[in-house]
Amino acid sequence: MHSDAARLRVKTWLFTVIVVLSNAFGDFFMKRGIPDTARLATPLEYIAVLFQPWVAAGVALLIVWQMSRMALLSWADLSYVLPVTSIGYVVVALLGKVMLNETISAKRWAGIALIVAGVSLVSAGTEVSTVKRAEAPR
Amino acid sequence: MKWLLVALIVATTTVGEVLQAAGMRKHGEIRDFRPNALGRALAALARNRFVIGSVLAMAASFFAFLKLLSISDLSFAVPASAATYVAETLLARYVLKEHVSPRRWAGAALVIFGVALISL
């Protein structure tokens, strides 16, 4: 049983990294790709903006995000996945600093520290799953 | 307009993510990552009502988020959508019946305060 828990933990870490990075970079690429002139007033304009190269790359990453999140939720609790993947807010803040030259105020650094503390509290100290799950068809 | 979009995103994301969690729990742990097995898993998920509902809600959330991104900064849009966090943790406890230990509540509270500090 011990090895099963260890196996789940490794899998969980791997998928958490994929979920976090695909979401952060997906959002960032979408923001980068939407032209300042986009009005998004009609359904057609929504479809058209999806063909902007950076937006398309963002959408591709967001598909990876949803798929990897579904896989993660197939063995992990929602109340585990939520706090652990919230490290993504830190990644987005750092992306803003590095890529967009946004400054990170003392207040923001304090927020980042709290998120990191919360994430480590949940990820290091609680079981990945606390409920009975269906046996997936093989 | 901005806050209306945030409200729409929060509502659709909360519904979508809770349905997604319920659907994936019903499906069970994905263990086999070979392409054929993943294809079979996707085919099973396409018939899973919770998953279908979650995809519809997440699609609505995606287009509302796209609109929000077109009128606001990334550093507003992302943390503002984090309001889903509180509702989802409560739904995880009371609807999905997960055991949210004191440690998990404490972690969730730290994250919520942290997101508030980043975004306000």
PDB file of all heavy atoms in Angstrom, chain A residues 104-125:
ATOM      1  N   ILE A 104       6.633  44.098  -9.032  1.00  0.00           N
ATOM      2  CA  ILE A 104       5.932  43.370  -7.986  1.00  0.00           C
ATOM      3  C   ILE A 104       6.122  44.131  -6.678  1.00  0.00           C
ATOM      4  O   ILE A 104       7.223  44.227  -6.161  1.00  0.00           O
ATOM      5  CB  ILE A 104       6.449  41.915  -7.880  1.00  0.00           C
ATOM      6  CG1 ILE A 104       6.225  41.192  -9.210  1.00  0.00           C
ATOM      7  CG2 ILE A 104       5.737  41.184  -6.756  1.00  0.00           C
ATOM      8  CD1 ILE A 104       6.572  39.725  -9.193  1.00  0.00           C
ATOM      9  N   SER A 105       5.005  44.675  -6.171  1.00  0.00           N
ATOM     10  CA  SER A 105       5.066  45.490  -4.949  1.00  0.00           C
ATOM     11  C   SER A 105       5.285  44.596  -3.731  1.00  0.00           C
ATOM     12  O   SER A 105       5.151  43.376  -3.799  1.00  0.00           O
ATOM     13  CB  SER A 105       3.751  46.253  -4.786  1.00  0.00           C
ATOM     14  OG  SER A 105       2.701  45.326  -4.657  1.00  0.00           O
ATOM     15  N   ALA A 106       5.589  45.228  -2.587  1.00  0.00           N
ATOM     16  CA  ALA A 106       5.779  44.478  -1.341  1.00  0.00           C
ATOM     17  C   ALA A 106       4.510  43.695  -1.005  1.00  0.00           C
ATOM     18  O   ALA A 106       4.564  42.542  -0.568  1.00  0.00           O
ATOM     19  CB  ALA A 106       6.123  45.435  -0.209  1.00  0.00           C
ATOM     20  N   LYS A 107       3.346  44.322  -1.242  1.00  0.00           N
ATOM     21  CA  LYS A 107       2.075  43.658  -0.965  1.00  0.00           C
ATOM     22  C   LYS A 107       1.929  42.379  -1.808  1.00  0.00           C
ATOM     23  O   LYS A 107       1.489  41.344  -1.323  1.00  0.00           O
ATOM     24  CB  LYS A 107       0.935  44.642  -1.260  1.00  0.00           C
ATOM     25  CG  LYS A 107      -0.338  44.335  -0.522  1.00  0.00           C
ATOM     26  CD  LYS A 107      -1.357  45.450  -0.708  1.00  0.00           C
ATOM     27  CE  LYS A 107      -2.016  45.329  -2.064  1.00  0.00           C
ATOM     28  NZ  LYS A 107      -3.149  46.262  -2.235  1.00  0.00           N
ATOM     29  N   ARG A 108       2.318  42.505  -3.085  1.00  0.00           N
ATOM     30  CA  ARG A 108       2.227  41.331  -3.956  1.00  0.00           C
ATOM     31  C   ARG A 108       3.174  40.221  -3.524  1.00  0.00           C
ATOM     32  O   ARG A 108       2.823  39.041  -3.566  1.00  0.00           O
ATOM     33  CB  ARG A 108       2.526  41.717  -5.400  1.00  0.00           C
ATOM     34  CG  ARG A 108       1.359  42.380  -6.086  1.00  0.00           C
ATOM     35  CD  ARG A 108       1.554  42.298  -7.571  1.00  0.00           C
ATOM     36  NE  ARG A 108       0.262  42.186  -8.211  1.00  0.00           N
ATOM     37  CZ  ARG A 108       0.093  41.890  -9.486  1.00  0.00           C
ATOM     38  NH1 ARG A 108       1.134  41.660 -10.254  1.00  0.00           N
ATOM     39  NH2 ARG A 108      -1.117  41.794 -10.002  1.00  0.00           N
ATOM     40  N   TRP A 109       4.392  40.595  -3.116  1.00  0.00           N
ATOM     41  CA  TRP A 109       5.335  39.573  -2.630  1.00  0.00           C
ATOM     42  C   TRP A 109       4.753  38.880  -1.405  1.00  0.00           C
ATOM     43  O   TRP A 109       4.871  37.659  -1.245  1.00  0.00           O
ATOM     44  CB  TRP A 109       6.690  40.193  -2.270  1.00  0.00           C
ATOM     45  CG  TRP A 109       7.583  40.437  -3.460  1.00  0.00           C
ATOM     46  CD1 TRP A 109       8.066  41.647  -3.883  1.00  0.00           C
ATOM     47  CD2 TRP A 109       8.101  39.463  -4.384  1.00  0.00           C
ATOM     48  NE1 TRP A 109       8.843  41.480  -5.007  1.00  0.00           N
ATOM     49  CE2 TRP A 109       8.883  40.160  -5.338  1.00  0.00           C
ATOM     50  CE3 TRP A 109       7.966  38.081  -4.494  1.00  0.00           C
ATOM     51  CZ2 TRP A 109       9.540  39.514  -6.390  1.00  0.00           C
ATOM     52  CZ3 TRP A 109       8.617  37.431  -5.545  1.00  0.00           C
ATOM     53  CH2 TRP A 109       9.384  38.150  -6.474  1.00  0.00           C
ATOM     54  N   ALA A 110       4.082  39.673  -0.519  1.00  0.00           N
ATOM     55  CA  ALA A 110       3.452  39.076   0.667  1.00  0.00           C
ATOM     56  C   ALA A 110       2.376  38.077   0.239  1.00  0.00           C
ATOM     57  O   ALA A 110       2.264  36.977   0.794  1.00  0.00           O
ATOM     58  CB  ALA A 110       2.863  40.170   1.551  1.00  0.00           C
ATOM     59  N   GLY A 111       1.589  38.455  -0.774  1.00  0.00           N
ATOM     60  CA  GLY A 111       0.561  37.555  -1.290  1.00  0.00           C
ATOM     61  C   GLY A 111       1.156  36.283  -1.838  1.00  0.00           C
ATOM     62  O   GLY A 111       0.663  35.169  -1.599  1.00  0.00           O
ATOM     63  N   ILE A 112       2.259  36.430  -2.594  1.00  0.00           N
ATOM     64  CA  ILE A 112       2.947  35.263  -3.164  1.00  0.00           C
ATOM     65  C   ILE A 112       3.435  34.344  -2.039  1.00  0.00           C
ATOM     66  O   ILE A 112       3.261  33.124  -2.101  1.00  0.00           O
ATOM     67  CB  ILE A 112       4.123  35.735  -4.051  1.00  0.00           C
ATOM     68  CG1 ILE A 112       3.570  36.356  -5.341  1.00  0.00           C
ATOM     69  CG2 ILE A 112       5.061  34.579  -4.372  1.00  0.00           C
ATOM     70  CD1 ILE A 112       4.627  36.950  -6.256  1.00  0.00           C
ATOM     71  N   ALA A 113       3.999  34.949  -0.968  1.00  0.00           N
ATOM     72  CA  ALA A 113       4.494  34.146   0.159  1.00  0.00           C
ATOM     73  C   ALA A 113       3.355  33.358   0.811  1.00  0.00           C
ATOM     74  O   ALA A 113       3.508  32.167   1.134  1.00  0.00           O
ATOM     75  CB  ALA A 113       5.181  35.043   1.186  1.00  0.00           C
ATOM     76  N   LEU A 114       2.181  34.008   0.984  1.00  0.00           N
ATOM     77  CA  LEU A 114       1.034  33.316   1.592  1.00  0.00           C
ATOM     78  C   LEU A 114       0.580  32.149   0.724  1.00  0.00           C
ATOM     79  O   LEU A 114       0.277  31.061   1.226  1.00  0.00           O
ATOM     80  CB  LEU A 114      -0.133  34.288   1.797  1.00  0.00           C
ATOM     81  CG  LEU A 114      -0.031  35.271   2.967  1.00  0.00           C
ATOM     82  CD1 LEU A 114      -1.290  36.117   3.052  1.00  0.00           C
ATOM     83  CD2 LEU A 114       0.170  34.504   4.277  1.00  0.00           C
ATOM     84  N   ILE A 115       0.527  32.370  -0.594  1.00  0.00           N
ATOM     85  CA  ILE A 115       0.086  31.300  -1.497  1.00  0.00           C
ATOM     86  C   ILE A 115       1.054  30.123  -1.419  1.00  0.00           C
ATOM     87  O   ILE A 115       0.644  28.960  -1.311  1.00  0.00           O
ATOM     88  CB  ILE A 115      -0.033  31.816  -2.944  1.00  0.00           C
ATOM     89  CG1 ILE A 115      -1.178  32.827  -3.039  1.00  0.00           C
ATOM     90  CG2 ILE A 115      -0.279  30.656  -3.907  1.00  0.00           C
ATOM     91  CD1 ILE A 115      -1.308  33.481  -4.403  1.00  0.00           C
ATOM     92  N   VAL A 116       2.363  30.428  -1.450  1.00  0.00           N
ATOM     93  CA  VAL A 116       3.356  29.349  -1.376  1.00  0.00           C
ATOM     94  C   VAL A 116       3.205  28.573  -0.065  1.00  0.00           C
ATOM     95  O   VAL A 116       3.233  27.331  -0.045  1.00  0.00           O
ATOM     96  CB  VAL A 116       4.786  29.918  -1.523  1.00  0.00           C
ATOM     97  CG1 VAL A 116       5.824  28.853  -1.243  1.00  0.00           C
ATOM     98  CG2 VAL A 116       4.983  30.488  -2.926  1.00  0.00           C
ATOM     99  N   ALA A 117       2.971  29.311   1.046  1.00  0.00           N
ATOM    100  CA  ALA A 117       2.788  28.646   2.339  1.00  0.00           C
ATOM    101  C   ALA A 117       1.552  27.740   2.311  1.00  0.00           C
ATOM    102  O   ALA A 117       1.599  26.584   2.758  1.00  0.00           O
ATOM    103  CB  ALA A 117       2.656  29.690   3.449  1.00  0.00           C
ATOM    104  N   GLY A 118       0.454  28.260   1.758  1.00  0.00           N
ATOM    105  CA  GLY A 118      -0.777  27.471   1.684  1.00  0.00           C
ATOM    106  C   GLY A 118      -0.609  26.230   0.831  1.00  0.00           C
ATOM    107  O   GLY A 118      -1.041  25.132   1.197  1.00  0.00           O
ATOM    108  N   VAL A 119       0.066  26.390  -0.312  1.00  0.00           N
ATOM    109  CA  VAL A 119       0.280  25.267  -1.222  1.00  0.00           C
ATOM    110  C   VAL A 119       1.131  24.191  -0.548  1.00  0.00           C
ATOM    111  O   VAL A 119       0.816  22.999  -0.608  1.00  0.00           O
ATOM    112  CB  VAL A 119       0.959  25.747  -2.531  1.00  0.00           C
ATOM    113  CG1 VAL A 119       1.408  24.568  -3.356  1.00  0.00           C
ATOM    114  CG2 VAL A 119       0.001  26.615  -3.318  1.00  0.00           C
ATOM    115  N   SER A 120       2.200  24.614   0.155  1.00  0.00           N
ATOM    116  CA  SER A 120       3.055  23.587   0.768  1.00  0.00           C
ATOM    117  C   SER A 120       2.338  22.894   1.923  1.00  0.00           C
ATOM    118  O   SER A 120       2.498  21.698   2.124  1.00  0.00           O
ATOM    119  CB  SER A 120       4.399  24.148   1.230  1.00  0.00           C
ATOM    120  OG  SER A 120       4.376  25.527   1.309  1.00  0.00           O
ATOM    121  N   LEU A 121       1.511  23.646   2.644  1.00  0.00           N
ATOM    122  CA  LEU A 121       0.749  23.050   3.745  1.00  0.00           C
ATOM    123  C   LEU A 121      -0.134  21.912   3.237  1.00  0.00           C
ATOM    124  O   LEU A 121      -0.198  20.834   3.827  1.00  0.00           O
ATOM    125  CB  LEU A 121      -0.111  24.143   4.391  1.00  0.00           C
ATOM    126  CG  LEU A 121      -0.622  23.906   5.809  1.00  0.00           C
ATOM    127  CD1 LEU A 121       0.543  23.738   6.754  1.00  0.00           C
ATOM    128  CD2 LEU A 121      -1.486  25.080   6.255  1.00  0.00           C
ATOM    129  N   VAL A 122      -0.829  22.156   2.122  1.00  0.00           N
ATOM    130  CA  VAL A 122      -1.756  21.148   1.603  1.00  0.00           C
ATOM    131  C   VAL A 122      -1.010  20.027   0.881  1.00  0.00           C
ATOM    132  O   VAL A 122      -1.296  18.846   1.076  1.00  0.00           O
ATOM    133  CB  VAL A 122      -2.788  21.795   0.657  1.00  0.00           C
ATOM    134  CG1 VAL A 122      -3.672  20.736   0.019  1.00  0.00           C
ATOM    135  CG2 VAL A 122      -3.628  22.795   1.427  1.00  0.00           C
ATOM    136  N   SER A 123      -0.016  20.388   0.063  1.00  0.00           N
ATOM    137  CA  SER A 123       0.610  19.362  -0.777  1.00  0.00           C
ATOM    138  C   SER A 123       1.505  18.435   0.029  1.00  0.00           C
ATOM    139  O   SER A 123       1.599  17.249  -0.268  1.00  0.00           O
ATOM    140  CB  SER A 123       1.399  20.009  -1.910  1.00  0.00           C
ATOM    141  OG  SER A 123       2.454  20.769  -1.383  1.00  0.00           O
ATOM    142  N   ALA A 124       2.164  18.955   1.066  1.00  0.00           N
ATOM    143  CA  ALA A 124       3.094  18.105   1.811  1.00  0.00           C
ATOM    144  C   ALA A 124       2.386  17.326   2.903  1.00  0.00           C
ATOM    145  O   ALA A 124       2.857  16.281   3.321  1.00  0.00           O
ATOM    146  CB  ALA A 124       4.214  18.956   2.410  1.00  0.00           C
ATOM    147  N   GLY A 125       1.236  17.826   3.383  1.00  0.00           N
ATOM    148  CA  GLY A 125       0.702  17.231   4.600  1.00  0.00           C
ATOM    149  C   GLY A 125      -0.638  16.533   4.511  1.00  0.00           C
ATOM    150  O   GLY A 125      -1.152  16.087   5.519  1.00  0.00           O
TER     151      GLY A 125
END
